[in-house]
Amino acid sequence: MNILIVEPDKELAKTIKDWLITDEWNADTASIAQEALDCLDEEKYDAIVLELVIPHSNGVEFLQSVRSYPEWQGIPCIIYTSANIGAMDLPESAKKDLNIIKVLYKSKNSLADISAEIRELTA
């Protein structure tokens, strides 16, 4: 699997990437929305791990932009965030439209939870 991590904290992004690589997945990182869009333009991804609080945008706006491209509509997204707003307040129908498969909280969930969600995608 090829995973795009959108996380403005570069140290945390590297930690997540290293964790996923140990599970034998490929991962790229982006710290801002435009950089993530550029990555999507250059590479095919099987999943996106997304922090909702990103510079120059927010995670929901970023996902809405991603979903406006037919070739990216099917990429499942796992939210991994410290935010208390955003995707959590979206109705289930909007989460489905944005292909958000899980919302994980950095304060409550571990990197192992991200791996578990990605494993479910391949099951």
Side-chain angles (χ1 to χ4, degrees):
M1 284 199 83
N2 202 17
I3 299 145
L4 176 60
I5 303 159
V6 184
E7 169 61 58
D9 180 332
K10 292 183 186 215
E11 206 168 296
L12 178 57
K14 183 183 179 334
T15 300
I16 296 169
K17 178 179 179 172
D18 291 346
W19 178 270
L20 296 176
I21 288 172
T22 62
D23 278 342
E24 299 182 8
W25 294 316
N26 296 317
D28 293 319
T29 62
S31 58
I32 62 173
Q34 186 57 55
E35 183 181 7
L37 291 171
D38 292 345
C39 287
L40 286 163
D41 223 12
E42 296 171 12
E43 189 74 43
K44 182 182 181 322
Y45 293 97
D46 302 298
I48 298 170
V49 176
L50 174 65
E51 166 60 71
L52 288 178
V53 182
I54 52 178
H56 315 296
S57 183
N58 70 50
V60 173
E61 290 171 353
F62 166 75
L63 272 181
Q64 289 169 333
S65 177
V66 168
R67 300 307 180 215
S68 70
Y69 294 87
E71 64 271 25
W72 300 339
Q73 289 175 355
I75 304 172
C77 181
I78 299 165
I79 303 293
Y80 187 59
T81 189
S82 56
N84 292 321
I85 57 168
M88 291 64 81
D89 298 330
L90 290 173
E92 287 304 312
S93 60
K95 288 180 186 176
K96 185 177 178 179
D97 290 344
L98 293 173
N99 205 359
I100 298 171
I101 59 167
K102 191 71 166 187
V103 177
L104 302 174
Y105 301 90
K106 291 177 182 174
S107 62
K108 298 177 184 175
N109 298 100
S110 68
L111 298 179
D113 295 323
I114 296 172
S115 294
E117 290 301 323
I118 294 170
R119 264 190 222 95
E120 262 189 53
L121 292 174
T122 61

